Amino acid sequence: MSKLNHIISIDQFLKQDLLDGVFNLADKFAKTDRKGSSSKPLKDKILASVFYEPSTRTRFSFESAMLRLGGSVISTESAGHFSSAIKGETIEDTIRIIGGYTDIIVLRHPEIGTAKRAASVSPVPVINAGDGAGEHPTQALLDLYTIKKELGNINDLTIAMVGDLRYGRTIHSLIRLLSITRGITLYLVAPKPLGLPMEYRPPPALSDMHIIEKEKLEDVVPYVDVLYVTRIQKERFSSAHLYRKVANSFMIDGEMLGKMQEHAIIMHPLPRVHEITSAVDDDPRAAYFRQARNGLYIRMALLQMLLEE
Ligand code: NCD
């Protein structure tokens, strides 16, 4: 199997053997339901989580994954305020220093490309936990894993991606990852200013994906197997006025749910704001809390693959 050094872009996972390796290991952890391995394979390792942007799921699932594998964790939650960045230290220097104290670094940063810069100087593996509006590769892995687990299949599906396709890094990574599948019809449903940037479309040579842009959610909901909903990302807008214009573009409520197929699933990387009402949560098609839980198993698998000697 291909060796993983850093996890920077989802493009590193466009190899079936590597993906199978991650998913099989995640299945093993899911079966033992979070207990990890009794041998605690990472017991002498330390993970640093260095987050310059807010996070709940990503940071806690990485930290919990490390602890469940027997490792230890040190963390800075608001690195922009509480690390030496505030004194003007470059990310390169910060990473060199943290890499000298720890065995792996999980990094979230508001600027595109920071994880790559960090990896280029780091003495230990770096995992991109979101670089601004760029990528979020570990989220894409847990998303595809969730689709496979929920629907039993990753090919010949109709998927709609809804919301902020311009700034949504989970979308950017997941679309690239879907290029390893076959026979996907992908509906992109976004307000005009939040459409998917060209650079995140899979090159036609890589994929037979059929991409269709739609403005109305109602037009696609009855046909989808997967409805992947995202938050409109307030923090990426330069003006509050622009944000308000698109903020409430889509909403999944009980009525919308009534139009979906019985076997379909609703996914969301979370946090949600207004785009899915809580009335939807108890429906078995609401897969987003199961999806978040899968993040733990996927991250346990990735940490073990990166760190086990
Ligand atoms: C997402 C993120 O941070 O990109 N959340 C996550 O990691 N699960 C999505 C978001 O913030 O809207």
Side-chain angles (χ1 to χ4, degrees), residues 250-264:
F250 304 105
M251 199 197 292
I252 316 297
D253 54 11
E255 198 188 322
M256 197 68 90
L257 193 64
K259 298 188 174 123
M260 287 181 71
Q261 305 186 74
E262 277 308 307
H263 74 270

Side-chain angles (χ1 to χ4, degrees), residues 5 7 37 39 44 81 85 89 102 133 145 162 182 190 194 228 233 308:
N5 294 317
I7 300 178
S37 147
S39 64
D44 297 320
H81 296 113
E89 187 171 63
T102 62
Y145 180 68
V162 181
R182 291 285 156 257
L194 300 182
Y228 190 100
Q233 309 216 353
E308 214 180 25

Side-chain angles (χ1 to χ4, degrees), residues 53-59 108 129-130 132 135-136 139 142 167-170 228 230-233 235-236 268-273 275 299:
E53 275 193 340
S55 170
T56 302
R57 275 146 296 276
T58 306
R59 189 165 71 86
R108 171 169 287 188
E135 279 215 48
H136 195 347
Q139 178 74 40
L142 78 90
Y167 298 116
R169 54 196 174 200
T170 72
Y228 190 100
T230 61
R231 176 178 71 93
I232 308 281
Q233 309 216 353
E235 68 274 28
R236 313 269 178 232
H268 193 306
L270 303 175
R272 67 171 149 181
V273 194
E275 58 279 359
R299 289 172 176 134

